[in-house]
Amino acid sequence: MSEAVVRFRAVDKVFGSGADATKALDRIDLEIPKRAFVSLIGPSGCGKSTLLRLIGDLTRPNAGTIEVNGKSAHRARLDRDYGMVFQSPVLFDWRTVMRNVELPLEMSAIPKRARATRAQEMLALVELTGFERRYPWQLSGGMQQRVAIARALSFEPAILLMDEPFGALDEMTRERLNLELLRIWQQTGTTIVFVTHSIPEAVFLSTHVAVMSARPGRILDVIAVDLPQPRNDLTREDERYFGFITRVRERLRGGDAARPRAVEVAAS
Amino acid sequence: MSRIRYYAPAATLFVAVLVTWELLVSVLGIQQFLLPRPSAIAAAFVDHLDELATAGRNTLIEAVGGLAIGGVAALAVAGATARWTTASRTLLPFAIAANSVPIIAFAPIMNNWFGVLNPLSKMMVVAVLVFFPVMINTVRGLTLVEPGSLELMRSYAADELAVFLKVRIPNALPYIFTALRVSATLSLIGAIVAEYFGGARSVLGQFIITEAAFFRFANAWAAIIVASAASIAFFLIILALERVALPWHASARATDAL
């Protein structure tokens, strides 16, 4: 068993109260090993975004415990252990690309020179060198999302939390950014938790796909995707790739309760 | 060249209106006190240039001073209401109620409080007049922040002050400048109307009512032209400030508009 970066124990999340209360997540047990790329997939309303937000301490559980890097999720947030990437890039219009990437470094009071160097490196990593002085609205949607990724990685967070980061992009941009994300993941060695609606995307990217069911949100199964690394365009033509897609799809369709609720992500 | 072509239709129309106005007044034999000819207004303008320039300057000072007083007060109140919910619950209802009061009705009171001849009495009318639009727009800009931005700052463990400085204030700046542009025009209206209720001789409002009282309407019209010019100049100054302060925003709008 390798070191777990994220550990959920019997986590419940309820929205609302009294008669209007809805159980968004029901007794979630989950372990995410270090350097893993875990995708959360499931129908709308299965609580996959909520699960991600719980890791990031953007919302609190009603029961159970969440540990991140061996401490509470709250402590981990205060220690700036997370990089977040949302579906929309959430860039600040009034800052240049460069200064957007520098934002988290400013929050950690990193000196100006070091910030600039680091931001340059990150922009090189997402292949946006030369766009430092542009404003976000001057970039395409895909480029904006790459800036958001550069920003999330700039302070070397232990965990990258991504909530449908490519959901609003066209298929071709999405596939290109998938490859780029994998390259970055390999280069930086961060742990990534990735929420998506797309089965092929989940299989292509992940070391583990957590399949979820809706109302109440549960983890039905965690499928270890042991396709060879590094993955590339050939992976998408691999027979086993399609095999995994079928497996995930079947698990999504047959969301039966007979399966054990508590699933552990096996060590990779 | 393309610039000349761009403005040509508007310039042509302007000249055409002046010529038609001139001709109609002569042909229909309209009395000078009802509608002076443009040439008569131009002559009056030249004759009273010194007087008009002084009056224009004094009125503009009242407008700018009033906008400064009202604007600063509005920003302070808006900052407080955006920061503390209690402040917003306490102050906003009064601010909204105050907005429906015809502010100009206070002009005689202000004259009484600050002195008819004191420019401060006109500035206070302007200040009260511009307070609401600036305040409400600032509150909007400070609070209508993309929720994602707040979550992002939260993920960086940012405190309230950092959120205020790095998100809320930059987000509010375009709203504030929009309010200031509207207020620039409003402040000249406020200053001149306040001057109608009494004031020093060398201000536009007093100049206009005095000349009108003596049926020297060409002079009154010349003063109106000065007032318009002052208003446009004030507006353009704010616009220029906006371009300097918000390069990202001004250029963004320029690309959108053209």
Side-chain angles (χ1 to χ4, degrees):
Chain A
M1 168 90 250
S2 78
E3 193 189 338
V5 178
V6 178
R7 186 174 280 129
F8 274 57
R9 283 205 201 89
V11 170
D12 283 354
K13 177 68 189 177
V14 181
F15 287 116
S17 58
D20 295 330
T22 29
K23 202 156 201 183
L25 290 172
D26 185 31
R27 289 193 64 82
I28 299 290
D29 289 294
L30 178 71
E31 284 192 4
I32 295 174
K34 200 167 176 148
R35 299 187 61 108
F37 194 130
V38 178
S39 283
L40 306 173
I41 194 162
S44 299
C46 73
K48 49 192 191 297
S49 286
T50 305
L51 205 155
L52 194 81
R53 293 165 53 81
L54 282 167
I55 303 176
D57 189 42
L58 295 176
T59 182
R60 303 267 162 88
N62 295 79
T65 57
I66 301 164
E67 255 178 46
V68 180
N69 278 340
K71 49 201 167 187
S72 71
H74 181 64
R75 187 69 247 164
R77 176 171 67 81
L78 297 185
D79 289 348
R80 302 190 169 107
D81 285 355
Y82 313 109
M84 291 273 329
V85 180
F86 306 93
Q87 181 167 2
S88 67
V90 199
L91 300 174
F92 292 170
D93 285 341
W94 50 88
R95 285 174 173 249
T96 59
V97 165
M98 179 90 166
R99 296 213 49 234
N100 265 292
V101 177
E102 284 182 24
L103 176 70
L105 303 171
E106 266 174 53
M107 301 308 301
S108 315
I110 308 274
K112 204 174 160 127
R113 297 263 298 273
R115 281 203 315 253
T117 317
R118 184 73 192 148
Q120 294 275 14
E121 284 169 23
M122 287 302 107
L123 286 171
L125 189 69
V126 298
E127 292 174 349
L128 281 176
T129 304
F131 290 91
E132 291 85 353
R133 308 185 66 152
R134 300 288 186 89
Y135 285 99
W137 45 267
Q138 294 173 311
L139 306 183
S140 69
M143 288 160 95
Q144 289 182 12
Q145 204 53 283
R146 272 145 69 194
V147 175
I149 293 170
R151 178 182 59 192
L153 291 169
S154 66
F155 58 109
E156 295 178 329
I159 312 162
L160 190 55
L161 302 175
M162 307 183 85
D163 193 355
E164 294 184 49
F166 309 135
L169 302 176
D170 64 85
E171 193 65 24
M172 271 152 64
T173 311
R174 186 178 187 143
E175 287 193 357
R176 201 160 42 72
L177 287 185
N178 280 346
L179 282 170
E180 229 169 281
L181 181 61
L182 282 178
R183 179 175 58 75
I184 291 166
W185 173 61
Q186 299 243 329
Q187 274 177 36
T188 56
T190 57
T191 307
I192 298 182
V193 187
F194 189 96
V195 169
T196 180
H197 271 122
S198 159
I199 301 173
E201 186 176 59
V203 169
F204 181 72
L205 292 172
S206 315
T207 56
H208 303 85
V209 177
V211 180
M212 298 182 67
S213 71
R215 278 174 283 272
R218 284 186 184 140
I219 295 180
L220 294 173
D221 202 353
V222 177
I223 298 171
V225 183
D226 56 356
L227 291 168
Q229 302 279 0
R231 293 175 191 167
N232 51 39
D233 282 330
L234 290 178
T235 310
R236 293 192 217 270
E237 290 159 23
D238 193 325
E239 223 169 280
R240 296 184 56 228
Y241 167 70
F242 294 108
F244 278 114
I245 290 179
T246 309
R247 261 181 74 188
V248 173
R249 185 172 291 130
E250 278 170 357
R251 291 305 294 130
L252 276 170
R253 213 177 278 152
D256 56 290
R259 285 269 170 169
R261 290 162 164 180
V263 186
E264 237 185 36
V265 175
S268 51
Chain B
M1 184 61 210
S2 65
R3 215 180 176 141
I4 294 170
R5 199 167 293 168
Y6 183 82
Y7 290 110
T12 314
L13 179 66
F14 181 72
V15 173
V17 167
L18 283 186
V19 170
T20 316
W21 177 352
E22 184 82 33
L23 289 175
L24 278 182
V25 172
S26 309
V27 170
L28 302 177
I30 295 172
Q31 299 280 354
Q32 279 295 297
F33 68 87
L34 282 180
L35 186 65
R37 288 191 316 261
S39 56
I41 296 169
F45 184 84
V46 174
D47 285 349
H48 298 272
L49 198 55
D50 285 350
E51 231 175 316
L52 286 170
T54 313
R57 200 189 56 225
N58 289 340
T59 299
L60 191 57
I61 288 170
E62 290 168 5
V64 173
L67 181 55
I69 296 169
V72 168
L75 291 179
V77 172
T81 56
R83 176 68 186 76
W84 296 287
T85 356
T86 329
S88 124
R89 285 211 205 100
T90 319
L91 292 171
L92 278 186
F94 288 102
I96 291 165
N99 185 45
S100 42
V101 174
I103 306 291
I104 212 70
F106 283 103
I109 312 283
M110 295 294 178
N111 282 345
N112 184 34
W113 285 356
F114 299 97
V116 179
L117 299 180
N118 188 344
L120 195 60
S121 61
K122 313 299 177 288
M123 286 184 193
M124 292 313 289
V125 172
V126 173
V128 178
L129 201 59
V130 300
F131 177 83
F132 188 79
V134 176
M135 191 211 63
I136 209 71
N137 263 289
T138 310
V139 168
R140 238 177 242 152
L142 291 173
T143 49
L144 289 182
V145 172
E146 203 190 333
S149 307
L150 297 179
E151 294 217 315
L152 187 75
M153 293 303 277
R154 197 174 139 85
S155 80
Y156 301 145
D159 55 19
E160 276 294 324
L161 182 68
V163 172
F164 209 76
L165 294 179
K166 291 185 192 296
V167 183
R168 294 192 186 277
I169 289 180
N171 190 68
L173 283 177
Y175 290 84
I176 294 173
F177 273 103
T178 303
L180 288 181
R181 271 188 274 128
V182 174
S183 300
T185 317
L186 208 54
S187 67
L188 255 126
I189 297 173
I192 291 171
V193 177
E195 286 161 3
Y196 286 165
F197 291 90
R201 170 77 176 91
S202 57
V203 291
L204 288 177
Q206 279 301 309
F207 183 91
I208 291 168
I209 54 169
T210 312
E211 296 306 299
F214 288 102
F215 294 93
R216 295 192 290 257
F217 284 97
N219 293 353
W221 277 92
I224 289 167
I225 290 168
V226 173
S228 310
S231 177
I232 291 168
F234 196 12
F235 179 89
L236 290 178
I237 288 166
I238 303 257
L239 197 65
L241 279 178
E242 183 176 359
R243 301 238 156 161
V244 173
L246 315 175
W248 54 274
H249 191 247
S251 37
R253 261 190 301 107
T255 353
D256 283 348
L258 299 176

